[in-house]
Amino acid sequence: MGRIFMAAAKKNLVIVESPSKAKTIGKFLGSKYKVIASVGHVRDLPKSKLGIDLENDFEPQYIAIRGKGDIIKELKKEAKNAAKVYLATDPDREGEAISWHLAYLLGIDQSKPCRIVFNEITKKAVQNAIKSPRPIDLKLVDAQQARRVLDRLVGYQISPLLWRKVRRGLSAGRVQSAALKIICDRENEIKAFVPKEYWNITAELKKGKKFTAKLTEYKGKKLTVENKEQADEIVKALKAGEYTVKKVEEKERSRRPYAPFTTSSLQQEASTKLGFYTKKTMLIAQQLYEGIEIKGHGTVGLVSYIRTDSVRISDEAKAAAKEYITEKLGAQYYQNNVYSNKKKDVQDAHEAIRPSYIELEPDEIKESLSKDQYNLYKLIWSRFMASQMSPAKFMGVSAAIENNDYIFKATGSKLIFDGFLKVYSPGKDDDSDKLLPHLEKGEKLELAELLSEQNFTQPPARFTEASLVKDLEEKDIGRPSTYAPIIATIIDRKYVTREKKTLTPTELGFIVTQMMEDYFKEIVDTGFTADMEDKLDAVEVKDVEWKDIIRDYYGTLEKELEVADKEIKKVEFEVELTGEMCEKCGKPMAIKHGRFGEFAACTGYPECKNTKPIVKSTDVKCPKCGKDIVARKSKTGRVFYGCSGYPECQQSYWNKPIDRKCPKCGALLVEKKTKTSKYACSNSECDYKEE
């Protein structure tokens, strides 16, 4: 009898963007499904040209991305052999566009149910999504296309102008240029600021314990002390008088918890509390969203989708938080808080950023996470839990203390119920008790010390990444997913330097901003940029035709480009010499700027074409060979310190070495600033540290 062979049943194919996301989702779907990754976009506008047909109503000319041939071939092969294909890219405009491009390349009917979305990568969310696929949402796709085409028209037409008139490697952008102008405007405010003198007068008073009161009023009016003569006169009058308690008020006050994180508030808080740059925050948050191998649990997506401007929380997540808080902390710690979005027209397609599994407490899974992953996960977990908790309650005390016609104010507070502060303290606020002694109206107080201190008004602070993100959000410039790349671009282009945490515009940044103001006023106008964001959003929510927006704007841009090209003169920069002489012809070497940053080139160009990389010495000698240790950059752009004798000598350090040796083992010390130390031994087996 002959054998009968059964054909293997075809599997369903699920396509996501990243391998780590594929790994996490794969374990939820079982043997009937195969999950593979497209590794990001597979089809886009070409890099080598504009890629938009201006003669054919701005039709985008998409191509398969160079280098993605093997991946596309594999995707087509798997799709052809699959029973059904599900496109499971991220639940936003960008993700919808990736699915649309995939459908085109794979021959999938986009009008049929082929698209699945989920806000968190959990078993329940993924399995529910598989049960309810939908067609590709062309409104979302068009909203993304509108932004992509508009940004390409601005960037690819103004950037070459900057290359010709200023310097190669520069760029302009619809949102980037507006952000740069904000930073330049702040710097101009700082330069124009004229400080004003003022004096603070405080009294250190005693009643059992010392406390401080500040002079605030004179004869019932607010008092401003403007100079030393006025301050000395007041001090003289105060020394002749007595300090008497005029009024004491006690009042209970509440402090409500903050809403759970949106993308921008996460970036701001991670900067303030953890010292993370926006780019780092988004990188680590993406890892937490896509899935991490957790001991005893397998690969787990720890947080919900990370690109959102909504503070909405699902009923299921609220119920889980209520159960956790009442069981672990007590019913008095739970409160059903309701939060509203700052913008009324924010789309609630996504929730706020929250933990996917509340029961996975940060400390319980700490061993499975890197230090940065743990810190960011703890921040997200704590903020979400706090958002579902009761307000903290304080007993506030305010005392008015008089000395003749002068009034001093002293305040104190005591925490009487910690509420949400039990799990989360926002920013760097000090929530410790500030107690006053018991004071009664009419009682006399003893003066311990009277202080008169000169001060000057301060200019507005330079932007940090956190404060710039806040300002961009308040001005409605850009969207949550754009803040990190905007900041990275203006730093990479040398328009801005990052000194410690502050962003300072360079001469180049000012030149480009002035040029944009003179010839492309709308692009750097914050009001225009915000209005354009609303128009682009309208493509998604109000059925606005995306090409109408492009047509309306491009006519103006085209005229501005023509005028700018004729009128802008070539900017000549002063030649910056390196201090070295060319080893080939003997002429001085100068710093030049290219596509990949600064390099040294011979001033005898074009007769001499000698170039070499610029290395910055640390003035520290290599302990192995005696040559200089210099700053270098890794393939990922991270700065490290290595021997200038490389590749013969491969001595290197991640932290900057100093010209001192460890007293314990003799290895070089390196800069390694923590709360308790400034320097540490470079030898990983040595634990020496010092302040």
Side-chain angles (χ1 to χ4, degrees):
M1 188 180 237
R3 294 182 182 177
I4 298 175
F5 293 94
M6 299 292 290
K10 288 186 175 182
K11 292 187 177 185
N12 294 307
L13 181 67
V14 179
I15 303 176
V16 298
E17 301 101 315
S18 76
S20 57
K21 188 175 173 183
K23 183 179 177 184
T24 309
I25 291 170
K27 71 174 191 174
F28 298 143
L29 294 177
S31 59
K32 292 182 180 179
Y33 293 85
K34 183 171 185 177
V35 187
I36 60 175
S38 68
V39 194
H41 281 273
V42 289
R43 188 168 169 255
D44 198 2
L45 297 173
K47 284 187 175 181
S48 58
K49 61 178 183 177
L50 182 64
I52 297 164
D53 191 344
L54 301 178
E55 305 301 320
N56 187 23
D57 201 20
F58 305 100
E59 191 64 26
Q61 298 170 324
Y62 295 115
I63 62 167
I65 294 174
R66 185 178 295 176
K68 286 290 186 80
D70 289 344
I71 292 172
I72 293 170
K73 188 177 178 181
E74 180 67 17
L75 289 169
K76 286 182 174 179
K77 176 186 169 186
E78 294 291 347
K80 186 178 180 181
N81 295 327
K84 186 170 178 58
V85 179
Y86 296 96
L87 304 172
T89 49
D90 283 347
D92 58 8
R93 285 186 290 256
E94 197 78 14
E96 202 72 19
I98 293 174
S99 284
W100 181 67
H101 287 303
L102 282 167
Y104 175 85
L105 288 173
L106 303 179
I108 297 169
D109 187 344
Q110 61 192 28
S111 65
K112 297 289 175 62
C114 60
R115 175 82 167 110
I116 61 171
V117 292
F118 33 83
N119 190 58
E120 58 186 347
I121 304 177
T122 62
K123 185 174 183 178
K124 184 175 181 181
V126 172
Q127 290 183 343
N128 284 343
I130 284 284
K131 292 174 186 175
S132 53
R134 61 165 173 77
I136 288 173
D137 187 338
L138 292 179
K139 287 184 184 178
L140 284 173
V141 173
D142 285 347
Q144 193 273 344
Q145 282 199 101
R147 282 178 162 79
R148 188 78 183 95
V149 169
L150 185 60
D151 290 342
R152 175 59 69 102
L153 288 171
V154 172
Y156 267 52
Q157 302 223 59
I158 298 179
S159 297
L161 181 71
L162 295 177
W163 282 41
R164 293 195 302 274
K165 304 292 186 179
V166 186
R167 178 188 292 168
R168 284 180 63 82
L170 302 184
S171 69
R174 179 177 59 86
V175 180
Q176 165 197 322
S177 298
L180 177 59
K181 184 177 185 297
I182 288 171
I183 296 171
C184 290
D185 286 349
R186 176 61 59 86
E187 194 67 20
N188 286 329
E189 286 179 52
I190 293 168
K191 288 176 180 177
F193 182 80
V194 179
K196 290 184 178 180
E197 180 183 6
Y198 70 97
W199 288 69
N200 281 333
I201 297 174
T202 55
E204 199 170 82
L205 303 168
K206 282 177 66 177
K207 187 197 174 183
K209 60 177 273 188
K210 291 180 182 179
F211 66 97
T212 300
K214 183 179 178 181
L215 179 61
T216 58
E217 293 180 23
Y218 177 63
K219 290 186 177 181
K221 293 183 179 179
K222 182 182 176 182
L223 178 63
T224 301
V225 185
E226 296 178 346
N227 52 55
K228 188 177 188 302
E229 290 74 20
Q230 187 185 359
D232 288 346
E233 189 180 317
I234 292 169
V235 168
K236 184 179 178 181
L238 291 169
K239 285 181 176 177
E242 292 183 313
Y243 293 86
T244 306
V245 178
K246 183 181 181 182
K247 185 170 65 174
V248 180
E249 288 183 339
E250 284 193 359
K251 188 176 181 181
E252 185 178 303
R253 63 181 180 86
S254 295
R255 183 176 179 185
R256 283 176 53 82
Y258 286 76
F261 283 128
T262 61
T263 303
S264 62
S265 60
L266 175 63
Q267 290 172 348
Q268 292 168 53
E269 195 78 340
S271 175
T272 303
K273 280 196 158 189
L274 306 178
F276 286 4
Y277 296 138
T278 51
K279 189 175 180 180
K280 180 176 181 179
T281 299
M282 297 310 292
L283 178 68
I284 297 165
Q286 188 74 24
Q287 294 167 2
L288 296 176
Y289 166 68
E290 290 186 346
I292 293 170
E293 191 72 27
I294 302 296
K295 191 176 179 181
H297 297 274
T299 306
V300 179
L302 291 172
V303 301
S304 60
Y305 191 54
I306 58 168
R307 292 175 182 85
T308 175
D309 49 7
S310 172
V311 294
R312 182 180 67 84
I313 293 296
S314 70
D315 292 340
E316 186 181 350
K318 287 177 81 72
K322 180 180 180 179
E323 183 180 347
Y324 180 95
I325 292 164
T326 51
E327 284 186 9
K328 294 267 186 174
L329 304 176
Q332 72 275 24
Y333 279 95
Y334 174 74
Q335 180 169 299
N336 182 21
N337 297 313
V338 178
Y339 301 97
S340 58
N341 295 311
K342 289 181 181 178
K343 285 181 66 183
K344 290 182 180 179
D345 59 343
V346 163
Q347 295 303 295
D348 268 357
H350 308 140
E351 293 183 57
I353 302 170
R354 59 169 177 78
S356 300
Y357 303 93
I358 287 168
E359 64 274 17
L360 291 181
E361 297 177 15
D363 288 339
E364 282 187 12
I365 62 172
K366 187 175 183 178
E367 288 183 8
S368 301
L369 305 176
S370 70
K371 181 182 176 183
D372 289 339
Q373 288 170 343
Y374 166 75
N375 285 334
L376 194 65
Y377 178 63
K378 184 178 181 182
L379 194 67
I380 293 168
W381 189 93
S382 302
R383 173 80 165 232
F384 170 70
M385 296 307 299
S387 74
Q388 306 302 302
M389 292 175 68
S390 304
K393 292 182 180 179
F394 297 83
M395 181 57 71
V397 181
S398 174
I401 299 156
E402 63 181 349
N403 182 327
N404 294 320
D405 291 325
Y406 294 98
I407 300 293
F408 287 77
K409 289 275 178 73
T411 58
S413 66
K414 182 179 182 180
L415 182 66
I416 54 178
F417 175 62
D418 54 2
F420 78 94
L421 293 175
K422 194 171 190 72
V423 299
Y424 184 80
S425 180
K428 290 187 175 179
D429 294 344
D430 181 8
D431 296 306
S432 58
D433 291 342
K434 298 166 186 173
L435 302 176
L436 292 179
H438 179 70
L439 301 174
E440 292 185 2
K441 183 179 179 180
E443 71 176 309
K444 306 289 184 186
L445 299 171
E446 181 185 344
L447 176 68
E449 189 175 9
L450 188 62
L451 299 170
S452 177
E453 182 184 16
Q454 183 188 38
N455 291 278
F456 291 91
T457 55
Q458 296 298 307
R462 287 191 176 99
F463 283 106
T464 61
E465 289 198 8
S467 61
L468 180 61
V469 165
K470 184 178 181 182
D471 200 65
L472 290 171
E473 184 181 35
E474 287 174 351
K475 289 183 167 71
D476 201 21
I477 295 172
R479 287 295 176 259
S481 60
T482 65
Y483 299 142
I486 287 167
I487 293 169
T489 298
I490 60 177
I491 291 172
D492 290 345
R493 295 286 184 268
K494 309 288 191 226
Y495 295 156
V496 168
T497 59
R498 188 162 46 201
E499 298 168 7
K500 293 183 179 177
K501 284 191 174 183
T502 62
L503 301 173
T504 306
T506 62
E507 179 192 8
L508 181 61
F510 277 116
I511 288 170
V512 170
T513 296
Q514 189 61 55
M515 196 174 286
M516 295 296 291
E517 278 191 274
D518 291 343
Y519 294 96
F520 305 97
K521 198 175 289 290
E522 287 183 332
I523 291 173
V524 292
D525 180 74
T526 54
F528 173 82
T529 307
D531 183 55
M532 181 59 75
E533 289 292 351
D534 290 338
K535 286 180 180 178
L536 293 168
D537 284 346
V539 175
E540 180 181 338
V541 298
K542 295 179 182 178
D543 289 328
V544 171
E545 167 58 42
W546 72 269
K547 285 186 179 179
D548 288 346
I549 297 171
I550 307 299
R551 287 187 211 104
D552 290 345
Y553 176 68
Y554 188 70
T556 303
L557 177 63
E558 196 172 27
K559 291 173 186 174
E560 289 174 339
L561 282 163
E562 190 177 337
V563 172
D565 200 25
K566 287 178 182 176
E567 295 185 1
I568 297 175
K569 301 286 190 295
K570 172 72 176 170
V571 177
E572 298 294 341
F573 289 91
E574 187 177 338
V575 176
E576 189 178 352
L577 300 177
T578 65
E580 298 176 274
M581 306 306 286
C582 176
E583 61 270 28
K584 291 186 178 181
C585 72
K587 289 185 179 179
M589 298 291 284
I591 296 173
K592 297 290 182 181
H593 301 267
R595 186 178 176 186
F596 301 104
E598 294 180 345
F599 63 95
C602 181
T603 53
Y605 180 86
E607 288 77 19
C608 178
K609 296 180 180 178
N610 184 26
T611 62
K612 58 184 181 180
I614 292 174
V615 292
K616 295 179 181 178
S617 176
T618 60
D619 296 323
V620 177
K621 299 296 181 185
C622 175
K624 284 188 176 180
C625 70
K627 292 183 178 178
D628 286 344
I629 293 176
V630 297
R632 298 183 182 277
K633 278 191 177 181
S634 68
K635 289 180 180 178
T636 59
R638 183 178 174 186
V639 175
F640 72 98
Y641 302 88
C643 180
S644 57
Y646 179 86
E648 288 77 18
C649 178
Q650 299 193 10
Q651 183 69 27
S652 63
Y653 307 87
W654 281 117
N655 297 89
K656 186 177 181 180
I658 61 171
D659 197 15
R660 282 174 46 213
K661 291 185 177 179
C662 173
K664 282 182 75 172
C665 71
L668 281 178
L669 293 179
V670 295
E671 293 181 0
K672 202 167 187 179
K673 294 179 182 178
T674 66
K675 290 181 180 179
T676 57
S677 64
K678 289 183 180 178
Y679 305 106
C681 182
S682 59
N683 180 0
S684 60
E685 296 179 2
C686 178
D687 60 0
Y688 179 77
K689 294 179 182 178
E690 67 175 53
E691 291 186 3

